[in-house]
Amino acid sequence: MHTIPARAHRALLLALGGALAASGAAPAAAATPADTPLPRDGIYRSLKVDELPAAYVVLIDTSSSMQDRGPDGAPLYATVKRRLDAFLKTLTPADEVAVVTFGRATSVVHPMAPVREKGGGSLFARGLPATATESASDHGSALEAAAEQLNRSTAPVGAVLLLTDGAVNAPGSPYERQGTPAWKRLKERYSAMGTNRRIIGYGVPLAEGTRVGEVLGGAFGNPRILPVDPAALGTQLADAKDQVSAEKAVNVLRTDEGKGVAVTVDGEGVRTPGSGAVTLATGDATGSRSRTVRVTLTSKTRHVPLRVTLRAAARPGGPAVDVEGAGRPVQLAPGESRTVRLKLAWDQDPEFALIPGARDFRAGLGLRAEVSSPWTPAVRSSLGYAKFTTGGPAVTDVDLVGTVPGRAPGWFYPLVLLVLLLGGAAAWRSHKRRNPALSGVLTVTDLRTGSRQTVVLRGREVAEDTDAGDVRARITVRGRHEAGRLVLVLKCVREAPRPGGEPLRDSGTCELGKSTVLCGIGFSHETADQAAVLQ
C-alpha cells in the first residue's frame, strides 16, 4: 500500500503551489516552442483534462466517534462536511460525484451524477445528516455501495474516497471480518471494473488506529493511503483530486503510447512498388549524379507532439550515396505532416565488361526516422506514467536503380595483347627446348649387304624414305633432352622383308656420334662438331 508521509506531502504541495504561481505569472504572449518540454499543467491544458470526466464516490463515516473533536477543536464530522463542501467546488463540470454515508446502515445520500447537477456547494448541506450518531461502522457495505455507484458512470477514471476515524465495527454484517467470502467477492468486483477503466481507492484516516489500509486493501489491489491529519483534510482531498487529474491525463495518453510516424518518399523518378519499398530510377547517364526527394513525416498520435530526427546512410557494400538535408529535428503536432527535402548525390560510373553493352546500376539508401516527444520527461515523472514511450524508429529502404555502359578500360586490350605475346614467346622457347634443331648426318646401313645411304639432318624434325641396298624404309628423326643429354629420337617403318608380310615398325634413341639398330637396319650419327648438333 502506498502511504504519503505528512511532512513530504506538505513539501510537495508547497513546491507545486510555487510552480503554479510561477506559471501563472508568465506573460500570455510568450508562446512555448513545440520542442520545449511542457510542465504537468501545460500537458493538462493541452489534453483538456478539465473536460474529461472522473467519477468520485465519497464514503463518509457517520459513527458517533466522528463527533470527537479534532485538532482545531471542531468535531471531526463538522470538519468533514465543511472540507467536502470546498472540495466539491474544485471539481470540473465534467466530473461526476456520489456521496454515501455509513455506520450500522449504509445510505446513498446523493446518487452518481455530474457535479453541475448537484447544486454547487449546497450539496452536503441538503443531504448529509446533521450529526454523526451511528453505533457501528460497516466499511464493507459502504464499499459495496460505492461499486454500485461507479457502475452508474462511464467515466474512464473512478475514485473512491473513504473518510473514517475508526476500524471496521459491523456486527452481524457479511463484512464483519476481513477475509470473509463477502470481502473476496467485493475485491473480485473491483478487479473486474478495473479491466476497462482506472479505479483508485483513497484512504483518508481521521484518527490513529483506523487500519484503513487493510480495509481498502480488501477491495483494491493497491490503495493510496493519505497521512492522519484532520487539520489538513482539505489539502489531502486536493491531493487526491490532483492524482485523479493525473490519471485522467494518463488514460488519454495511453491511446498514444507506442505511436510514431509514417514515412513516405516522393519526387522525380520515385516509385513505391510495394509496402515499405521505395525505388528511385536513376537513368543511364554516367558521372556525378544528384536528385532531390521529398520525405513526408506524418504523426500517428492524437494528443502527443513528436520530435523526429531523420537520418540516412548508404547500404554497406554498395556505391556511396551522400545525403544533404538530414539530421535536423522536425517538430510534429499530433496528426501533423511535414515534408523534408533531401538531396542525394552519387557517382554512376561504367562497369567493367569484356563485351560492351548496358549493365544494371544499383545503390541502396536507408532512411531512419528516430522518434521522441518533448512530453516524455513530464509524463514519466510528474504524471507517474513511467512506461510511457513513443513509437520506435521508422526505417525506409530506398533503392537507386538505373543502367550504365559495360566496357573495358583503355589499358585492358593492350594488356591482353602483351600477355598473348609473352605467352607465345614462352611457348616457343618451350617448344625449342623440347624439339632442338638438328645437324650432322645420319647414315642408314643395310646390315645384310652393307649398302649405305646418308640423310642430312636439319631443322627440328626430318622425315625421309631411304633406299639402302634391299632396305626400303621410312624414317623420322627429331631431337630430345634425356637425362641431361641430347639424343636422337628415331622412328622406323620398314617394308616387309618377304612378300605379303607385315611392315616392320620400331622406335628408339641414338646418342650423338653413336649407332643403333631398328627394324634390322643400322643407324649411325656423324658430325664434325658434336656440341652444335642440337641447338
Side-chain angles (χ1 to χ4, degrees):
M1 290 177 290
H2 179 64
T3 303
I4 305 174
R7 184 174 299 174
H9 172 71
R10 293 192 187 96
L12 176 62
L13 291 174
L14 288 174
L16 177 61
L20 291 174
S23 63
T32 302
D35 61 340
T36 301
L38 281 178
R40 179 183 58 178
D41 287 348
I43 295 176
Y44 286 173
R45 287 192 297 272
S46 181
L47 296 178
K48 299 181 180 180
V49 166
D50 286 348
E51 299 178 14
L52 303 175
Y56 292 87
V57 181
V58 183
L59 305 180
I60 304 174
D61 189 348
T62 56
S63 63
S64 57
S65 60
M66 288 287 288
Q67 292 299 126
D68 294 346
R69 296 187 179 276
D72 59 355
L76 294 176
Y77 185 64
T79 300
V80 166
K81 290 199 293 182
R82 185 175 69 255
R83 294 301 184 189
L84 284 178
D85 223 16
F87 169 73
L88 180 63
K89 294 176 181 178
T90 67
L91 300 182
T92 69
D95 289 330
E96 302 172 343
V97 66
V99 180
V100 177
T101 61
F102 67 95
R104 181 173 295 278
T106 297
S107 175
V108 179
V109 176
H110 295 285
M112 182 67 71
V115 170
R116 59 177 173 269
E117 298 178 11
K118 291 296 186 180
S122 63
L123 166 66
F124 298 102
R126 292 203 316 260
L128 291 176
T131 58
T133 58
E134 294 285 338
S135 59
S137 299
D138 191 349
H139 298 69
S141 294
L143 290 169
E144 183 179 359
E148 293 287 348
Q149 294 304 308
L150 288 173
N151 280 335
R152 294 164 61 104
S153 170
T154 59
V157 178
V160 176
L161 281 65
L162 176 60
L163 288 77
T164 181
D165 72 332
V168 174
N169 177 23
S173 168
Y175 300 100
E176 180 178 2
R177 295 185 309 279
Q178 296 282 144
T180 61
W183 278 103
K184 293 179 180 178
R185 288 192 297 271
L186 186 63
K187 191 163 189 175
E188 291 172 356
R189 185 174 186 180
Y190 273 100
S191 178
M193 284 194 297
T195 57
N196 55 7
R197 56 177 173 161
R198 178 74 165 145
I199 308 295
I200 317 162
Y202 291 93
V204 188
L206 302 175
E208 300 289 347
T210 61
R211 303 175 70 178
V212 69
E214 295 181 14
V215 173
L216 278 180
F220 295 89
N222 187 28
R224 303 178 184 183
I225 310 303
L226 302 178
V228 179
D229 192 354
L233 179 59
T235 301
Q236 292 176 328
L237 293 175
D239 183 58
K241 172 183 171 292
D242 187 63
Q243 293 184 34
V244 170
S245 295
E247 290 295 338
K248 287 183 184 181
V250 168
N251 187 70
V252 175
L253 292 172
R254 284 194 180 98
T255 62
D256 279 349
E257 182 177 3
K259 297 291 182 63
V261 295
V263 180
T264 58
V265 182
D266 61 25
E268 181 186 353
V270 174
R271 296 185 299 107
T272 53
S275 177
V278 177
T279 299
L280 172 61
T282 65
D284 58 0
T286 57
S288 297
R289 305 290 310 283
S290 66
R291 188 74 60 82
T292 297
V293 298
R294 296 180 295 273
V295 181
T296 301
L297 307 172
T298 303
S299 170
K300 296 181 180 180
T301 65
R302 297 177 56 191
H303 310 283
V304 178
L306 299 179
R307 180 191 299 114
V308 184
T309 302
L310 192 62
R311 305 192 186 281
R315 188 173 300 157
V321 181
D322 294 328
V323 181
E324 180 182 331
R328 292 189 293 270
V330 178
Q331 312 302 326
L332 293 179
E336 183 185 11
S337 294
R338 294 188 65 181
T339 298
V340 177
R341 292 181 178 274
L342 301 182
K343 183 178 180 181
L344 312 183
W346 68 95
D347 290 329
Q348 196 159 317
D349 297 326
E351 290 191 2
F352 175 81
L354 294 178
I355 302 175
R359 297 292 186 272
D360 289 338
F361 170 81
R362 283 188 172 274
L365 177 69
L367 297 178
R368 179 184 177 90
E370 299 176 350
V371 183
S372 62
S373 172
W375 283 14
T376 300
V379 170
R380 291 180 177 178
S381 57
S382 298
L383 301 188
Y385 190 5
K387 295 182 179 180
F388 177 78
T389 183
T390 55
V395 179
T396 303
D397 290 328
V398 180
D399 291 325
L400 283 67
V401 179
T403 59
V404 292
R407 60 177 178 236
W411 49 263
F412 179 74
Y413 292 113
L415 177 62
V416 171
L417 179 59
L418 178 60
V419 170
L420 293 176
L421 291 174
L422 293 176
W428 176 246
R429 286 195 300 271
S430 176
H431 174 74
K432 287 175 63 177
R433 180 172 179 79
R434 291 194 307 271
N435 301 276
L438 303 174
S439 66
V441 295
L442 182 68
T443 301
V444 181
T445 305
D446 180 352
L447 296 180
R448 188 176 66 83
T449 63
S451 298
R452 295 185 177 187
Q453 181 181 353
T454 60
V455 177
V456 178
L457 301 180
R458 59 174 61 88
R460 301 188 181 275
E461 183 174 301
V462 173
E464 189 169 332
D465 294 328
T466 65
D467 185 4
D470 295 333
V471 174
R472 304 289 186 271
R474 175 78 174 180
I475 61 170
T476 303
V477 185
R478 64 181 182 83
R480 185 174 73 187
H481 290 271
E482 187 175 272
R485 298 174 303 156
L486 297 174
V487 298
L488 298 177
V489 179
L490 306 175
K491 290 185 179 180
C492 176
V493 180
R494 181 179 179 180
E495 291 182 358
R498 297 181 181 83
E502 291 292 329
L504 300 179
R505 300 175 183 274
D506 200 358
S507 62
T509 59
C510 178
E511 295 185 22
L512 302 183
K514 295 187 178 183
S515 302
T516 188
V517 176
L518 298 173
C519 300
I521 302 172
F523 296 90
S524 61
H525 177 258
E526 298 175 4
T527 180
D529 184 2
Q530 181 173 318
V533 172
L534 302 179
Q535 301 296 326

